[in-house]
Amino acid sequence: MVKTLESIQNIYKLSDVAIESLKSEVKLKSLKKGNLLFSPQSRHLYISFIEKGLIRAYAFNEGKEITFWFGLEGDIVFPYRTYLKHEISYETAELLEDCILYQIPLLRFQELFLQNIEWATWGRKFAENQMVDLEQKFIAYQFKSASQRHEELLISKPELFNRIQLQYLASYLGMSQVSLSRIRAGIQ
């Protein structure tokens, strides 16, 4: 549980007691590449902490898959819509590699927030971080070129480039595979 705990503590430092309250609730789950963690056809009722592996989230727009998120070791994945509104999610989360996950039921995780001020603070900090990330991504798509977005991703998450298929990377960056290939080759 090393990556999971490191990620949790990076968001907000929790006491050993608070950490133990989570450890006693999570279940280890190993899933194979290609499995879907959740999709619009199913209700997913778990928060998943990625200990090992890679997951992508995508949705369809006019019949085309649009990748909008990649989850690596230490990341947390769950359908926000299900968590916040108790509705089926609009996105699909697909495993791009074999994954080891620690899972806790959504409702139990919410109970931790109600029972423990440390977890409540952690949840607030997590939400704040997600809002900043979302704002940065929005600004990048509004004001930066495809080449600039590629460069920023290469600097911020270089490990993605060796682990993700070109088509998913291009979709995430909002460009065609041809454009991404040209950028990578230095051709304008």
Side-chain angles (χ1 to χ4, degrees):
M1 217 176 163
V2 174
K3 283 287 186 185
T4 296
L5 293 178
E6 183 181 296
S7 175
I8 287 169
Q9 295 288 40
N10 283 339
I11 293 168
Y12 178 77
K13 183 79 170 133
L14 296 167
S15 69
D16 291 343
V17 172
I19 290 294
E20 287 304 316
S21 67
L22 176 72
K23 281 182 169 181
S24 67
E25 299 287 340
V26 296
K27 302 286 186 245
L28 181 66
K29 187 120 179 177
S30 294
L31 297 171
K32 294 289 183 191
K33 175 181 177 177
N35 280 342
L36 300 181
L37 190 57
F38 52 84
S39 72
Q41 290 76 38
S42 64
R43 187 175 295 276
H44 185 72
L45 303 174
Y46 295 91
I47 300 274
S48 298
F49 299 89
I50 305 171
E51 184 67 20
K52 183 178 185 300
L54 175 64
I55 298 174
R56 82 173 175 120
Y58 65 91
F60 285 93
N61 183 29
E62 298 177 1
K64 186 177 170 187
E65 280 184 12
I66 306 297
T67 299
F68 60 87
W69 181 81
F70 293 110
L72 298 161
E73 290 83 3
D75 286 336
I76 302 163
V77 58
F78 60 94
Y80 284 85
R81 186 178 184 145
T82 302
Y83 179 79
L84 297 170
K85 294 186 164 195
H86 308 287
E87 297 174 1
I88 291 176
S89 68
Y90 60 85
E91 74 266 42
T92 299
E94 175 189 15
L95 281 65
L96 297 181
E97 298 175 351
D98 292 348
C99 288
I100 297 173
L101 308 172
Y102 287 98
Q103 293 185 324
I104 182 171
L106 288 170
L107 291 177
R108 182 62 194 119
F109 201 59
Q110 289 173 330
E111 287 172 5
L112 282 177
F113 295 159
L114 295 173
Q115 296 168 350
N116 184 305
I117 190 67
E118 289 181 72
W119 275 110
T121 303
W122 183 92
R124 180 179 55 79
K125 290 291 194 182
F126 176 78
E128 289 169 355
N129 290 341
Q130 294 300 302
M131 289 300 299
V132 169
D133 290 347
L134 184 60
E135 181 182 60
Q136 288 173 335
K137 188 171 182 182
F138 177 77
I139 289 169
Y141 276 93
Q142 293 295 313
F143 301 109
K144 296 183 180 176
S145 69
S147 182
Q148 288 171 319
R149 292 193 305 270
H150 174 267
E151 183 67 25
E152 284 184 1
L153 186 62
L154 188 58
I155 291 166
S156 67
K157 293 191 178 185
E159 65 275 20
L160 288 179
F161 289 83
N162 295 327
R163 296 172 69 179
I164 295 174
Q165 293 177 16
L166 194 62
Q167 70 192 41
Y168 300 146
L169 215 46
S171 173
Y172 178 77
L173 291 168
M175 64 180 81
S176 70
Q177 274 186 253
V178 172
S179 295
L180 180 55
S181 293
R182 286 182 178 151
I183 288 170
R184 292 177 77 172
I187 303 166
Q188 298 302 327

